[in-house]
Amino acid sequence: MRPIFRGTAPRRYSHYQDAIGDLEARLGTYCSYCERRLPISLAVEHVSPKSVARHLETSWDNFLLGCTNCNSVKGDTVVNLDDWLWPDRDNTVRAFGYLDGGFVEPTAVSTKHAQRLLDLVGLQRHGATPGREPAPRDKRWKDREQVFTLAQRQKEILSRLPPEVREEALQLVVDAAVGWGFFSCWLTVLHDIPEFCRRLIARMPGTAADCFDASGIPIARPAGRC
Ligand SMILES: [Zn+2]
């Protein structure tokens, strides 16, 4: 899960819905949880649900971007933020492993809190996992599987290209990643190509730069729990 930095509030909001344009400008049109790129159907997501924390309903620092699936699974569960990892507080890319086939698992980093976040938004719902089958309209796992495969294929092609075209080809792969979303899938598959990782981190709006070293390798987030 991409760690994000939303920055300071661009302005005050009378209605939380008014923040959608500012959030998309800062974070890109990606769901903060499942990482899909959804240019027209994201909603303002409240980390602390507005039904639980009324005073945070229009607070910029309580906003993320959520797709229909992540939003509807999450509901009003969150009471104590410290019980979960969060992409705006922790380096969540260290806490989850993305696997061939569209699977997501917690890593050994902050496993308990990571698992809670996966459960909170139903990110492990998968067509091939008995007991975790998604609703028919929940295609997050399928999209993730497709993009993971696409990233593998592009990496394989990159490895066969002569040096004189590699730079241009690498840029095309970055463009594809930005266009498709699923930051973590691309970073997982192309983790050993530092020039790709650095460019992806720089190109996707709102990626928390302090969560990576100079080679694009994830590091502990300052003041985060992982
Ligand atoms: Zn989502």
Side-chain angles (χ1 to χ4, degrees), residues 154-155 157-177 186 190 193 195-196 199:
Q154 298 213 8
K155 183 181 184 184
I157 292 169
L158 265 184
S159 73
R160 288 191 278 115
L161 290 175
E164 60 270 25
V165 297
R166 185 179 159 82
E167 166 61 28
E168 282 176 291
L170 195 64
Q171 195 53 50
L172 287 175
V173 180
V174 174
D175 291 343
W186 293 96
L190 293 109
I193 306 180
E195 59 270 45
F196 171 83
R199 289 182 203 190

Side-chain angles (χ1 to χ4, degrees), residues 85-199:
L85 295 181
W86 297 103
D88 60 331
R89 295 170 46 160
D90 306 299
N91 188 356
T92 38
V93 84
R94 301 179 71 221
F96 303 105
Y98 289 74
L99 312 174
D100 197 5
F103 298 95
V104 186
E105 300 289 346
T107 64
V109 177
S110 201
T111 309
K112 189 172 68 177
H113 292 83
Q115 184 63 56
R116 285 197 188 125
L117 179 53
L118 291 178
D119 293 340
L120 182 70
V121 295
L123 214 55
Q124 286 178 305
R125 294 183 183 185
H126 193 290
T129 307
R132 283 181 176 158
E133 292 89 352
R137 299 283 293 160
D138 182 356
K139 300 286 199 302
R140 293 174 294 178
W141 67 278
K142 194 78 190 159
D143 293 344
R144 195 166 53 234
E145 178 186 34
Q146 284 178 347
V147 171
F148 200 95
T149 302
L150 177 70
Q152 288 175 314
R153 203 161 65 233
Q154 298 213 8
K155 183 181 184 184
E156 197 272 322
I157 292 169
L158 265 184
S159 73
R160 288 191 278 115
L161 290 175
E164 60 270 25
V165 297
R166 185 179 159 82
E167 166 61 28
E168 282 176 291
L170 195 64
Q171 195 53 50
L172 287 175
V173 180
V174 174
D175 291 343
V178 170
W180 282 95
F182 289 105
F183 174 87
S184 297
C185 292
W186 293 96
L187 203 72
T188 298
V189 172
L190 293 109
H191 69 276
D192 52 353
I193 306 180
E195 59 270 45
F196 171 83
C197 298
R198 282 195 298 266
R199 289 182 203 190

